């Protein structure tokens, strides 16, 4: 069995472009997942803030108090 062939990299331009494309896709997917986690954390913090102010149930809505023209 020839183990060095397992770790051999192809150095052609096409192979390098494909590796770079895979890396870029992995980075963008990771950033999107990280953004989703941050969005969920922000929603949780906002929910807790509103619950402390008395808007913990979904039946409560803010009401406009200004006069209609």
């Amino acid at each position: 069995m020839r183990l060095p062939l397992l770790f051999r990299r192809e150095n052609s331009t096409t192979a390098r472009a494909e590796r770079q494309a895979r890396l870029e896709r992995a980075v963008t997917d990771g950033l999107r997942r990280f953004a989703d986690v941050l969005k969920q954390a922000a929603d949780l913090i906002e929910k807790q803030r509103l619950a402390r102010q008395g808007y913990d149930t979904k039946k409560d809505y803010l009401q406009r108090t200004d006069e209609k023209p």
Side-chain angles (χ1 to χ4, degrees):
M1 189 165 138
R2 303 184 97 192
L3 287 178
L5 291 178
L6 289 175
F7 302 108
R8 189 174 135 204
R9 287 189 134 177
E10 192 172 330
N11 290 327
S12 68
T13 306
T14 307
R16 272 183 276 167
E18 186 178 323
R19 280 196 306 267
Q20 182 177 355
R22 275 194 310 237
L23 178 65
E24 289 172 351
R25 279 194 300 267
V27 168
T28 55
D29 288 343
L31 289 174
R32 284 189 183 109
R33 289 175 198 251
F34 186 58
D36 290 339
V37 169
L38 290 177
K39 183 182 177 299
Q40 290 175 358
D43 289 344
L44 178 65
I45 292 169
E46 184 72 9
K47 182 179 176 183
Q48 290 174 349
R49 184 185 66 81
L50 290 174
R52 281 194 303 269
Q53 293 180 354
Y55 296 103
D56 55 349
T57 62
K58 294 204 181 252
K59 295 181 220 170
D60 295 339
Y61 294 100
L62 296 176
Q63 182 179 0
R64 291 185 73 132
T65 57
D66 57 343
E67 297 179 15
K68 294 182 181 179

